[in-house]
Amino acid sequence: MKQDGFSSKLGFVLAAAGSAVGLGNIWRFPYLTAKYGGGIFLLTYVILVLTFGYALLISENAIGRMTGKSPIGAFRDLCAGKKSFLGSVRIGGWVNSVVPMIILPYYCVIGGWVTKYVVALAVNPVSNFHKDAVVNGQSASAAYFVDFISNPADSTIYFIAFVIITALVVACGVEKGIERFNKILMPMLVLLIIGICVYCMFLPNAEAGFKYYLKPDVSKFSYMTVVAAMGQLFFSLSIAMGIMITYGTYMREKDDLVSSVNHVELFDTGVSFLAGMMIIPAVVAFGGEKAAESAGPGLIFITMPQVFASFPGGSIFGVLFFILVLFAAATSAVSLMETNVHTISQELKISRKKAITCVLGEVFAIGVITVLGYSVLKNIKPLFFISKYQNMDILDTLDFISNSVLMPIGAIFTTVLVVAVIGLEKFSEHIKSDKPWYREYIYQLCMSIVVIPCLLVVLLNATGILN
Ligand code: PFF
């Protein structure tokens, strides 16, 4: 991307939505929703997106637009001349920049799983994944997934394949290539998801699944619902990762920031909602609420092939579905990679080429260790010294450290920057255009009193103090 700005408001919305819509919506959201009680998680998530997520999303974009700098430079400039505590807020720029470096390797690992499933559904009869097929006492679909991730060679090859696909997308040109692909493939993905949702409505037993997804059951609410929803919100909206600050720098002063952010928020949450509609009723229909509550990262890889096996032409739709998910994942991975390359080349003052080599080196090193965490390195539990997390595998640990620890810290810095360093009133004036800003009050309320206590709860939970 060049620093000359997006050609139109639509250009910004598409680029930001392309970055936001990815594995977070289709892979992460459905399994968290299934695990944390269905409807109550959905409700908590939507409320948080509309208040808390909105406040941070708009703040980050405005910081970018105001300074024209990526996170480290933006924090540094805004804190310049401030003493003691306010001066030290500049560290926030670094926190926001480290997060995407942790996420990218494991994002590519999941991208590798998606790549594998494009091939798996193309070469195997889809009936192999039928919900009634059983292998060694477990469902054939689950057995296939576990076999795959615990095979070191196979899973490493697909991880590398995904990194290569991502690099190819970059090679097609971030501006023209991705924008054009996005315009065609994203609507296709959404249409396919809607089609699958409609099919799932007619699955025997689907009613119980829809009820589980859409009807909040308050007895399933705990503060973990809030903690998980908050981590998901960061991941899905791409906040506390520097990316939205960077995108804000491409916005022009005259663009209406409020309505652009509204579009990104709506689109991202809409896709997550549909992904949940597609998968959760199917999980409940095939395995009951128990299966939903024990869902984990393997959910779409286990349940979606079962759905495809149960309908005519399932293998074609299965392959198409995973190709579209692959594309959504690749566009998001590209934006993560861009962010990292940009930060490293600017801060270490090295060429883009060298920065790309550094980023690829890091992705391969951490990614391969993560992949092997399900086979050769499966006894490695990085957080073994904290009793609550002693069984966490490598991928979950990276996800946990980024989403539950570093992102809340990064977001606290952003909030302090807006409220104490810049000043909330002054900042709100910068955000406003000549059109009315209906959520200004919610924005100010969230930034001044809601965001920091919520983030502290997430952090205290992560450290185990709240348990
Ligand atoms: N928001 C993306 C998703 O939901 O998959 C993940 C992501 C992409 C995060 C790009 C950050 C980012 F810069």
Side-chain angles (χ1 to χ4, degrees):
M1 263 179 272
K2 283 193 253 101
Q3 197 62 29
D4 58 0
F6 286 110
S7 50
S8 61
K9 194 179 115 190
L10 184 70
F12 165 80
V13 172
L14 278 178
S19 156
V21 173
L23 291 172
N25 308 69
I26 302 158
W27 159 72
R28 206 170 183 275
F29 178 80
Y31 91 74
L32 287 178
T33 309
K35 182 169 166 182
Y36 290 105
I40 192 69
F41 182 87
L42 177 66
L43 181 68
T44 312
Y45 181 75
V46 171
I47 293 175
L48 284 175
V49 166
L50 293 176
T51 51
F52 181 93
Y54 173 74
L56 287 170
L57 193 58
I58 216 161
S59 299
E60 292 199 1
N61 278 297
I63 290 172
R65 189 176 73 169
M66 196 176 212
T67 59
K69 298 254 168 81
S70 51
I72 298 178
F75 272 76
R76 194 188 292 133
D77 280 9
L78 291 167
C79 295
K82 306 272 178 210
K83 296 220 174 64
S84 61
F85 171 70
L86 291 186
S88 60
V89 173
R90 77 185 59 190
I91 307 167
W94 280 97
V95 180
N96 275 286
S97 300
V98 165
V99 173
M101 296 182 192
I102 301 179
I103 293 187
L104 183 59
Y106 83 81
Y107 202 85
C108 291
V109 173
I110 316 291
W113 297 356
V114 176
T115 315
K116 165 76 183 181
Y117 270 72
V118 172
V119 178
L121 289 178
V123 302
N124 294 303
V126 73
S127 56
N128 285 6
F129 298 96
H130 196 275
K131 71 174 177 40
D132 296 331
V134 175
V135 174
N136 297 335
Q138 62 174 336
S139 86
S141 189
Y144 186 87
F145 177 70
V146 174
D147 275 358
F148 162 60
I149 61 170
S150 49
N151 178 329
D154 209 18
S155 48
T156 306
I157 288 171
Y158 281 100
F159 157 70
I160 294 174
F162 180 79
V163 178
I164 292 173
I165 292 171
T166 305
L168 285 178
V169 177
V170 180
C172 281
V174 174
E175 281 186 283
K176 296 223 168 66
I178 296 183
E179 223 179 289
R180 209 174 302 144
F181 277 134
N182 259 331
K183 275 190 196 147
I184 306 168
L185 295 176
M186 281 293 164
M188 266 175 81
L189 177 66
V190 173
L191 283 181
L192 190 67
I193 293 181
I194 294 177
I196 300 172
C197 288
V198 173
Y199 175 78
C200 288
M201 275 180 197
F202 297 102
L203 284 172
N205 243 346
E207 218 185 294
F210 280 107
K211 204 169 135 212
Y212 183 78
Y213 183 45
L214 297 175
K215 195 162 172 239
D217 175 353
V218 185
S219 68
K220 294 201 165 98
F221 183 83
S222 74
Y223 76 91
M224 267 317 284
T225 323
V226 180
V227 171
M230 208 131 29
Q232 172 59 16
L233 173 155
F234 287 125
F235 192 96
S236 189
L237 293 175
S238 310
I239 42 187
M241 309 190 202
I243 183 98
M244 288 299 161
I245 298 186
T246 310
Y247 277 11
T249 64
Y250 299 116
M251 270 191 138
R252 295 164 307 178
E253 204 56 44
K254 66 178 187 330
D255 285 336
D256 181 357
L257 194 137
V258 172
S259 88
S260 303
V261 167
N262 286 346
H263 284 101
V264 176
E265 182 195 29
L266 187 74
F267 191 63
D268 187 72
T269 311
V271 176
S272 291
F273 175 74
L274 286 175
M277 284 284 272
M278 160 182 86
I279 194 163
I280 293 171
V283 191
V284 178
F286 294 156
E289 282 192 18
K290 275 243 159 56
E293 277 163 8
S294 56
L299 186 66
I300 67 159
F301 302 100
I302 296 170
T303 305
M304 287 318 293
Q306 291 178 330
V307 171
F308 295 122
S310 68
F311 68 72
S315 52
I316 296 170
F317 283 106
V319 173
L320 187 63
F321 171 78
F322 279 107
I323 288 179
L324 293 174
V325 175
L326 180 62
F327 179 76
T331 54
S332 294
V334 166
S335 69
L336 275 165
M337 207 177 265
E338 261 296 309
T339 318
N340 295 344
V341 168
H342 193 245
T343 307
I344 291 186
S345 69
Q346 281 210 331
E347 291 311 309
L348 302 183
K349 304 210 173 11
I350 56 176
S351 69
R352 242 187 95 82
K353 259 207 184 122
K354 281 195 187 136
I356 293 177
T357 316
C358 291
V359 171
L360 284 177
E362 186 246 359
V363 169
F364 279 121
I366 302 188
V368 169
I369 293 174
T370 310
V371 168
L372 299 181
Y374 291 103
S375 51
V376 187
L377 304 178
K378 79 165 176 278
N379 292 329
I380 306 241
K381 308 287 176 202
L383 299 180
F384 65 91
F385 49 91
I386 307 175
S387 67
K388 192 175 162 195
Y389 304 120
Q390 58 191 356
N391 292 322
M392 221 180 227
D393 60 43
I394 300 175
L395 190 146
D396 282 347
T397 306
L398 292 176
D399 190 69
F400 168 78
I401 292 177
S402 47
N403 287 274
S404 303
V405 182
L406 290 177
M407 288 191 197
I409 298 179
I412 289 176
F413 276 111
T414 304
T415 314
V416 175
L417 182 75
V418 168
V419 176
V421 179
I422 307 173
L424 196 49
E425 280 305 320
K426 184 173 158 207
F427 197 65
S428 300
E429 280 313 308
H430 171 81
I431 293 172
K432 263 191 245 177
S433 63
D434 30 12
K435 296 206 195 94
W437 180 16
Y438 297 112
R439 283 194 274 173
E440 181 174 5
Y441 177 69
I442 294 187
Y443 173 77
Q444 297 205 343
L445 186 74
C446 284
M447 291 304 281
S448 47
I449 53 175
V450 180
V451 170
I452 291 190
C454 286
L455 292 169
L456 287 176
V457 170
V458 177
L459 271 178
L460 290 179
N461 171 69
T463 56
I465 293 175
L466 284 186
N467 302 91

